[in-house]
């Protein structure tokens, strides 16, 4: 398991703004595991990036970096997902709706979105946590942009151990559910909420 699989990108808004102001790039590979309880600011900003198999060097294996998450309990989280993937994948009808977020929507490149359609091929991946009722679909990036940005806010609730899974068939094999879809830290992983 690579180190970056364990790296967790919890940054406070203030830190993020500070880093941007300093001209630094926020990298999911280098940020701290999580902030200490005393220094938690709200909302907690978490970033992850979806890279294609071409980018990560494993053909047909797209991945979330980081692909495991640990979040403070009873906190408002702003999850920022950047995705470089332009390929749509089929997802179960039950996962087409944005669920569990504040207001029931997510922002896609700044626009409010509440649901998606398989017919329009408009989902590439999802970050779905069934035990938390959370479903965040991620559309393919358009040809006009380097990556698409999805922002969703949600409340973590009490401490719990959860697993997230991408519900879009983006992996390998005839079903699209092999490879990355079955591998922790790629298209599934931990989504744990810790007491603090
Ligand atoms: Cu996926």
């Amino acid at each position: 398991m690579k180190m970056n699989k364990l790296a967790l990108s919890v940054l406070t808004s203030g830190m993020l703004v500070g880093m941007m102001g300093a001209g630094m790039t926020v990298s999911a590979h280098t940020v701290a595991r999580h902030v200490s309880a005393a220094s938690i600011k709200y909302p907690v900003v978490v970033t992850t990036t979806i890279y294609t198999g071409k980018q990560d060097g494993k053909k047909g294996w797209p991945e979330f970096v980081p692909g495991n998450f640990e979040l403070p309990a009873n906190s408002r989280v702003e999850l920022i997902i950047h995705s470089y993937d332009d390929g749509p994948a089929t997802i179960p009808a039950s996962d087409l709706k944005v669920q569990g977020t504040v207001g029931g929507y997510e922002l896609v490149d700044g626009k409010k979105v509440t649901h998606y359609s398989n017919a329009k091929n408009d989902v590439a991946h999802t970050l779905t946590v069934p035990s938390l009722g959370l479903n965040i679909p991620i559309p393919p990036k358009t040809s006009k942009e380097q990556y698409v940005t999805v922002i969703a806010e949600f409340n973590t609730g009490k401490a719990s151990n959860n697993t997230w899974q991408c519900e879009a068939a983006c992996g390998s094999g005839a079903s699209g559910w092999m490879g990355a879809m079955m591998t922790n830290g790629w298209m599934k992983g931990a989504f744990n909420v810790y007491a603090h």
Side-chain angles (χ1 to χ4, degrees):
M1 184 175 274
K2 287 181 295 178
M3 192 55 208
N4 67 40
K5 290 292 167 198
L6 292 170
L8 295 161
S9 57
V10 177
L11 295 170
T12 66
S13 302
M15 284 166 68
L16 200 61
V17 169
M19 289 166 82
M20 283 168 170
M24 288 170 64
T25 306
V26 177
S27 165
H29 292 270
T30 56
V31 293
R33 182 172 176 274
H34 61 68
V35 292
S36 67
S39 65
I40 291 173
K41 300 236 172 51
Y42 300 98
V44 175
V45 177
V46 178
T47 62
T48 184
T49 303
I50 302 171
Y51 293 103
T52 65
K54 215 179 204 175
Q55 289 173 309
D56 66 32
K58 201 159 178 176
K59 198 168 168 264
W61 282 60
E63 66 173 326
F64 279 67
V65 180
N68 291 294
F69 303 87
E70 278 188 39
L71 309 168
N74 303 312
S75 301
R76 171 81 73 98
V77 170
E78 181 180 306
L79 177 62
I80 304 175
I81 303 168
H82 297 302
S83 177
Y84 288 92
D85 205 343
D86 62 0
T90 303
I91 73 171
S94 55
D95 297 310
L96 289 166
K97 213 174 150 225
V98 177
Q99 286 183 75
T101 64
V102 175
Y105 65 86
E106 61 190 28
L107 294 176
V108 177
D109 293 334
K111 268 198 237 146
K112 274 189 191 181
V113 176
T114 57
H115 59 274
Y116 288 84
S117 155
N118 274 320
K120 291 186 195 154
N121 283 334
D122 56 13
V123 177
H125 303 279
T126 75
L127 196 162
T128 304
V129 191
S131 53
L132 294 179
L134 191 61
N135 184 48
I136 303 168
I138 298 114
K141 81 168 192 76
T142 67
S143 57
K144 294 194 183 90
E145 61 190 358
Q146 195 186 1
Y147 52 79
V148 62
T149 300
V150 175
I151 300 178
E153 289 201 27
F154 57 93
N155 294 304
T156 54
K158 62 180 176 12
S160 58
N161 288 334
N162 310 284
T163 300
W164 74 271
Q165 170 78 55
C166 173
E167 295 291 343
C170 67
S172 52
S175 66
W177 272 81
M178 308 292 277
M181 288 290 274
M182 304 177 59
T183 309
N184 276 326
W186 290 72
M187 281 292 149
K188 62 182 285 192
F191 202 91
N192 296 330
V193 177
Y194 63 87
H196 59 93

